[in-house]
Amino acid sequence: MISGAEIMVRCLEAEGVDTLFGYPGAAICPFYDKLYDSAIRHVLVRQEQNAAHAASGYARASGRAGVCVATSGPGALNLITGIATAYMDSIPVIAITGQINLEQLGRDVFQEADITGACESITKHSYLVKDAAELPRVFREAFHIATTGRPGPVLIDVPIDVQQQEIEGPFVYPEKADIPGYKPTTQGHPVQIKRALAAIEAAERPVICCGGGVVLAGAREEMTAFATNSGIPIVSTMMGIGVMPMHSPVYLGMIGLYGRSYANRAVREADLIILCGARVGDRAVAAPNQIAAQAKVIHIDIDPAEIGKNMRADIPIVGDIRGILRTMAEKVKKTDRSGWIDRVLGYKAAFVPRGEPRSDFVEPRAFIRRLSEMMQEDAILVADPGQSQIWAAINFTQREGRFLTSGGLGTMGYSLPAGLGAAIAKPRRQVVSVCGDGAFQMSMCELGTVCQSHVALKIIVFDNARLGMVRELQDKQYGGRHCGTYLCGGNPDFVALCGAYGIPARLAASNAEAERYAAEMLAAKGPFVLVCRTDPDTPTV
């Protein structure tokens, strides 16, 4: 005989899961009891939301599905923000939750919550398992759904009596998932690809817009080959940062509300825009109809629902972007567009980055530019939403590493736990989390997890005693009426706080100090926190 809880553990082992992030409770204890005998590493977070963020960071760094676990009721509900964050950014996460007994469902008993109902709009799929015999099929399907097509989170809710239920063995894990109606399109239609190539050949001012879908598909080499063979300049959304090295002569930078002016200008002047794995969010393209009115649009995406949703597409191509780009790179004809290339590169060359080093504060934009020179080529930078996200996105020189952030949902408190997950997935690479003092305080409890897990995560906190981006918004749109955006008198002594956890920390009050302490931080073998005293009036861009 074999219990449902043991089946759950064996399913994870069959999927090659080596790490999961969780927080136990009564309704998930049968699973934890069987996990005790497994070689799977359990990382105990301090709050369930951070388990989902850590699983997301792990997934993005490793290229495999991340797994998080929580108990029923409040434990499961605490996962919601992290699940929604993964959903908005198309990250493969498996969320496993305990649930009350089947016969008690709907009676409002202790720690009951309809988690599958609550997560219906923010998961790719969800399961409420009612028979232990169904668990192998459910887990096989869940991992398949999460990692194929457009990736995303899948929820598996398992009542405690199903975990305790014993059925006849032996354990057999399905070789493949057979899901009627779920057949993601992977091959781009050859006629549409032919039309796209013809449009590219006819264009005089084409621009490639690279989104997060290129990163998720692992299509960096294919994108580079396509850009090189076609000679077309590239811009990226925030989620597409890192596909092209920022020193590449054809890369113009990030577009959007906080993007580079010369990148936005290139998009406005283009007569053909090739959207690759980008959903055309409002922060990337503020007026998509205006752009589409003056340029022909080729839109390549694995998810047909994204094509035409926010911007009209003249030539839609549905499929795996890696294969499509490989085909287009092989067949594209390089046309002489030297005038157009010289023009957009001239815009880039004329741009002068803002932010000069200071002696009275740490100027964050100048510091991040210097930090990127000091870090390893394959380093992973994780940024929290807010001013620190934009400072990092447009000033960090990405080379062979990764840039991780919460782009779709913009979840504060993301970078510390996501950095933790990324550092566990890639223990030999530098992982640096960048956050503001507001965002840091949303997840600083995870310093305990960093210590307990022996993770060499580096954390930079920009301390300006403000919720900087919201305060800036109040300045621009609300007449400087600052309500609820001052942290003055409430921030802890961050260095002393880190000391309480046994984590080395330094406070920098100038760019010279920040650079000196950053060298110490990057050389440290364990975790390290660098607090940077920042001028509250420092603008986002």
Side-chain angles (χ1 to χ4, degrees), residues 108 327 458:
D108 295 330
T327 300
K458 319 303 182 187

Side-chain angles (χ1 to χ4, degrees), residues 36 212 485:
Y36 182 88
T485 51

